[in-house]
């Protein structure tokens, strides 16, 4: 396979699993349906899966499934697609995102601080379990690895002229996720709007997974039907990706068309 063939294509199940991972990570909107009285403006999403909560298996299970699927998708992409430094690094961080999501499910909070004063006092006095304390590490890892994965894959798309959807939307979305992470830190410091910011951040991570799934699906279509190479719209998309990468890639893409 030469450079003109693009990154290659992953098996169809990998695309499906990437989309499913985005859906299973978005369980938090169901908190209202399940009748929980968690403060959506100031309470952590992770409190839904705290060890003393009635629906912990459902919400924690969503994180677990997302984590496992993300690892599978990352491994499938590394195995099936062309290996370039930025792309491989991006898939690696997607896998680490999955590992951290599994960690979130495996090390839940003991209780929900925003719902119980006694829980908040135990947390502040450090009278909580290792699982409760370590959950902050895994949650931070989810955010960091998710942002870095999308950023690297977007840069790879622009640098190599691959994945037009990621080249166009990945970087703005990654930057938005990074800004939401900074806003999350500010909300933790002020103690206000923590839940609202975190829910928006999780939604952005879900959009990132959907964007990755769509990019992989689009390349599968292109790989399955070489006649799509002649599609003017597709050529325009690839020229847009190449333009973002710089003059050299743009010239190469024009020669291809």
């Amino acid at each position: 396979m030469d450079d003109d063939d693009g990154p290659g294509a992953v098996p169809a199940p990998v695309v499906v699993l990437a989309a499913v991972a985005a859906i299973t990570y978005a369980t938090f909107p169901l908190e209202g349906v399940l009748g929980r009285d968690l403060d959506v403006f100031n309470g952590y999403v992770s409190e839904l899966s705290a060890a003393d909560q009635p629906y912990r298996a459902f919400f924690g299970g969503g994180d677990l499934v997302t984590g496992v699927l993300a690892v599978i998708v990352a491994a499938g992409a590394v195995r099936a697609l062309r290996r370039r430094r930025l792309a491989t690094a991006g898939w690696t961080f997607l896998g680490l995102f999955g590992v951290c999501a599994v960690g979130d499910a495996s090390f839940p909070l003991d209780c929900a601080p925003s719902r119980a004063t006694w829980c908040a006092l135990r947390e502040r006095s450090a009278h909580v379990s290792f699982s409760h304390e370590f959950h902050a590490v895994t949650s931070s890892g989810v955010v960091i690895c998710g942002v870095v994965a999308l950023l690297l894959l977007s840069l790879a798309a622009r640098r190599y002229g691959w994945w037009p959807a990621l080249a166009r939307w990945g970087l703005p979305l990654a930057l938005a996720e990074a800004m939401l992470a900074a806003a999350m830190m500010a909300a933790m410091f002020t103690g206000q709007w923590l839940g609202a910011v975190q829910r928006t951040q999780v939604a952005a991570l879900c959009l990132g997974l959907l964007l990755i799934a769509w990019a992989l699906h689009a390349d599968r279509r292109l790989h399955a039907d070489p006649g799509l190479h002649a599609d003017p719209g597709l050529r325009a998309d690839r020229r847009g990706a190449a333009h973002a990468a710089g003059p050299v890639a743009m010239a190469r893409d024009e020669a291809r068309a």
Side-chain angles (χ1 to χ4, degrees):
M1 180 185 295
D2 57 33
D3 286 342
D4 287 348
D5 292 329
V10 297
V14 173
V15 177
V16 174
L17 293 181
V20 172
I23 296 170
T24 55
Y25 201 54
T27 56
F28 68 90
L30 295 177
E31 60 187 302
V33 177
L34 296 176
R36 304 308 304 149
D37 57 351
L38 188 69
D39 185 349
V40 297
F41 292 103
N42 298 301
Y44 287 107
V45 173
S46 297
E47 293 182 56
L48 294 167
S49 57
D52 67 342
Q53 297 302 299
Y55 297 103
R56 63 185 181 277
F58 174 75
F59 292 108
D63 290 346
L64 179 63
V65 170
T66 295
V68 172
L69 295 185
V71 171
I72 294 173
V73 169
V78 170
R79 179 181 177 84
L81 301 181
R82 181 186 297 280
R83 296 186 184 181
R84 291 291 184 269
R85 185 175 301 175
L86 282 174
T88 301
W91 297 122
T92 299
F93 271 95
L94 182 65
L96 292 174
F97 161 84
V99 171
C100 291
V102 171
D104 263 0
S106 303
F107 298 95
L109 299 175
D110 295 340
C111 48
S114 72
R115 296 190 66 237
T117 303
W118 62 266
C119 180
L121 292 174
R122 283 183 56 183
E123 189 177 60
R124 291 173 187 172
S125 62
H127 287 84
V128 290
S129 68
F130 171 79
S131 176
H132 191 106
E133 292 184 338
F134 193 66
H135 188 85
V137 176
T138 59
S139 292
S140 298
V142 164
V143 175
I144 293 171
C145 292
V147 171
V148 173
L150 185 58
L151 177 63
L152 289 174
L153 290 174
S154 302
L155 292 176
R158 290 171 173 239
R159 170 64 180 84
Y160 309 129
W162 298 347
W163 307 314
L166 270 172
R168 180 173 299 172
W169 302 109
L171 187 57
L173 185 56
L175 293 177
E177 289 178 4
M179 291 176 63
L180 286 167
M184 180 77 174
M185 297 297 293
M188 291 175 67
F189 181 77
T190 62
Q192 295 182 333
W193 297 96
L194 182 62
V197 174
Q198 190 186 31
R199 282 160 176 76
T200 305
Q201 182 185 71
V202 172
L205 287 172
C206 293
L207 286 176
L209 290 170
L210 285 175
L211 182 60
I212 290 170
W214 176 255
L216 293 176
H217 168 69
D219 261 357
R220 269 191 58 78
R221 286 185 63 228
L222 182 64
H223 194 77
D225 187 358
L228 289 176
H229 281 287
D231 187 328
L234 181 61
R235 290 206 309 271
D237 282 345
R238 291 203 175 275
R239 281 199 297 272
H243 179 71
V248 174
M250 184 68 173
R252 182 186 63 195
D253 193 72
E254 289 292 346
R256 228 184 277 168

